[in-house]
Amino acid sequence: MINLQKLIDEIKSLNEKVALVAVSKNVTSNEVKELYSQGQRIFGENRVQELGKKNAELSDFDDIKWHMIGRLQNNKINQLVSLRPALWQSCDSFERAYEVNKRLNFKLETLLQINSANEDTKQGVTIESAGEIYLRIKEECPNIILKGIMSIGAHSDDIRDIQKSFEKSYKIFESLNAHGAKICSMGMSSDFRLAVKCGSNMIRLGSLLYI
Ligand SMILES: *Cc1c(COP(=O)(O)O)cnc(C)c1O
């Protein structure tokens, strides 16, 4: 397990205002507890079922903030809603937002996921449609409270491709500032330093934390 404070010091030296989401999808509740004891409070899961399992196992740790960061199937929406995550980072279309909105009886803070490198393997709205969809969700889905955007860097060995994808996402984030966008969630274990340089203020780290 990593020394969390050392990592946080490094992240803060890049930008004072970056929030760290500890992605726990590949580890057990024991690792979550260990990071918790080092002060970590925000955790991310990419599957609703696993989020529910850890949420139950860790019910004593009631100040943990769970973020949903993975693809949400329509048949899992009810379960996600019942878990009341602190942030749904992976809203990937207007239709998904609409379906979730229908089932909500509270306000759910949400990020619009952008597929900035236009990859078939990734969820999210296109760069071209992101602004319009963001505004449509705001207008038609009153229980979805959009707080910003989330994006995964381009899947490439060329750092310039990754940087370009972050820059594109950041531009959309900037253009949505006037509409209340505050969170720009970009960067994972392999590319978080670059993401922060490109303006990310929320990074999602998994594998790096557990080596
Ligand atoms: C798994 C995952 C992460 C963390 O990835 P690492 O490379 O392990 O840091 C971040 N974001 C999303 C959406 C993920 O699915």
Side-chain angles (χ1 to χ4, degrees):
M1 182 76 55
I2 198 167
N3 177 327
L4 194 62
Q5 194 52 52
K6 237 177 102 182
L7 176 67
I8 289 173
D9 288 346
E10 190 203 337
I11 295 166
K12 298 275 175 206
S13 76
L14 299 170
N15 177 347
E16 190 62 38
K17 291 198 182 83
V18 179
L20 168 62
V21 179
V23 177
S24 52
K25 67 187 183 198
N26 290 324
V27 297
T28 69
S29 292
N30 284 332
E31 282 87 355
V32 173
K33 280 183 206 167
E34 201 171 318
L35 287 172
Y36 183 95
S37 73
Q38 293 194 56
Q40 182 65 25
R41 291 296 179 270
I42 310 175
F43 291 89
E45 283 288 337
N46 67 337
R47 289 174 53 232
V48 177
Q49 206 169 340
E50 184 64 22
L51 203 164
K53 181 169 175 262
K54 287 204 177 78
N55 184 60
E57 288 172 352
L58 297 161
S59 58
D60 289 346
F61 301 76
D62 58 7
D63 58 347
I64 287 183
K65 293 182 170 70
W66 290 105
H67 288 190
M68 171 61 182
I69 61 170
R71 176 205 282 254
L72 177 62
Q73 290 163 306
N74 283 343
N75 63 5
K76 295 283 169 20
I77 293 176
N78 285 339
Q79 195 187 353
L80 182 72
V81 166
S82 73
L83 290 167
R84 284 184 171 252
L87 186 65
W88 173 32
Q89 292 209 17
S90 44
C91 175
D92 58 350
S93 66
F94 175 79
E95 288 72 25
R96 193 93 60 202
Y98 190 84
E99 287 304 313
V100 173
N101 180 68
K102 271 201 294 200
R103 293 167 169 86
L104 282 168
N105 55 1
F106 60 94
K107 309 276 185 204
L108 177 60
E109 296 196 346
T110 299
L111 303 181
L112 182 64
Q113 182 172 354
I114 300 171
N115 186 353
S116 52
N118 231 330
E119 291 161 317
D120 289 343
T121 50
K122 282 194 187 122
Q123 303 291 294
V125 301
T126 63
I127 291 279
E128 294 74 27
S129 65
E132 190 187 321
I133 292 174
Y134 195 96
L135 297 182
R136 186 158 173 230
I137 293 172
K138 273 193 73 163
E139 209 169 283
E140 297 183 40
C141 304
N143 290 325
I144 302 276
I145 307 299
L146 280 176
K147 299 297 256 187
I149 62 112
M150 184 271 259
S151 192
I152 298 174
H155 184 76
S156 169
D157 293 329
D158 189 338
I159 192 168
R160 287 167 298 186
D161 294 336
I162 304 173
Q163 179 164 345
K164 254 182 238 154
S165 68
F166 286 149
E167 286 169 351
K168 283 182 190 165
S169 298
Y170 184 76
K171 252 197 191 149
I172 294 171
F173 168 69
E174 246 186 338
S175 73
L176 291 167
N177 284 167
H179 301 283
K182 297 223 168 353
I183 299 175
C184 179
S185 174
M186 312 190 292
M188 319 201 322
S189 292
S190 59
D191 56 20
F192 72 92
R193 293 176 185 87
L194 179 61
V196 171
K197 274 188 206 140
C198 294
S200 167
N201 59 19
M202 180 173 279
I203 58 178
R204 310 175 308 272
L205 303 185
S207 45
L208 177 76
L209 302 178
Y210 312 105
I211 43 171

